Amino acid sequence: MGYKHQTNPIQVPVPGGKTIAEHFGIPSTGSSEVSIAYMVAPAGWGEPFQKPKFDEWTLMVRGKQQIEINGENLILSAGESLLVEKGTNVRYSNPFSDDAEYWSICKPAFSLDLVNREPET
């Protein structure tokens, strides 16, 4: 066939009101090579620290996101992008008043077995 036209991304349920529409990845296409997902994190959203076994690229579309990386705070704004390499201690959150809209690309594909999240506190 030579291509895959994704017209029905998988909606992944996430606590805290964040929405994930996975276009390519394990649940949507069965591929563990890469995952590509469109996300919207509401104001006040956050997740625990993690040390994933995948590289993750974040491309901000709208709003801002706070990313804590190895003890450093970084603010990623619309139009900016970031690569967090596998094995890095990272925490993603949106402590701001507007939603954060972004794309996430993980290689290999995101999976709960590879994310290594710390327990919720």
Side-chain angles (χ1 to χ4, degrees):
M1 181 154 113
Y3 68 92
K4 168 77 173 143
H5 179 194
Q6 179 59 279
T7 59
N8 191 26
I10 299 295
Q11 302 301 311
V12 179
V14 180
K18 179 179 174 182
T19 61
I20 298 177
E22 186 185 84
H23 286 256
F24 297 94
I26 296 168
S28 56
T29 61
S31 173
S32 60
E33 188 175 322
V34 66
S35 60
I36 301 174
Y38 168 76
M39 304 189 188
V40 178
W45 171 84
E47 64 185 8
F49 276 96
Q50 57 194 27
K51 194 178 273 191
K53 294 180 181 176
F54 49 77
D55 292 332
E56 183 168 6
W57 290 262
T58 301
L59 296 89
M60 289 299 297
V61 175
R62 179 177 54 90
K64 297 186 286 190
Q65 190 174 136
Q66 177 174 287
I67 305 167
E68 298 169 64
I69 308 167
N70 293 330
E72 179 183 340
N73 278 331
L74 179 112
I75 306 300
L76 196 63
S77 298
E80 298 178 346
S81 59
L82 176 72
L83 164 61
V84 176
E85 296 176 337
K86 62 182 155 190
T88 301
N89 194 35
V90 62
R91 178 179 185 270
Y92 299 91
S93 64
N94 179 12
F96 307 105
S97 58
D98 294 321
D99 289 351
E101 179 182 354
Y102 58 101
W103 286 88
S104 175
I105 300 154
C106 300
K107 186 172 175 63
F110 177 93
S111 79
L112 290 175
D113 294 339
L114 297 179
V115 73
N116 295 319
R117 282 200 181 115
E118 291 182 3
E120 297 271 355
T121 55

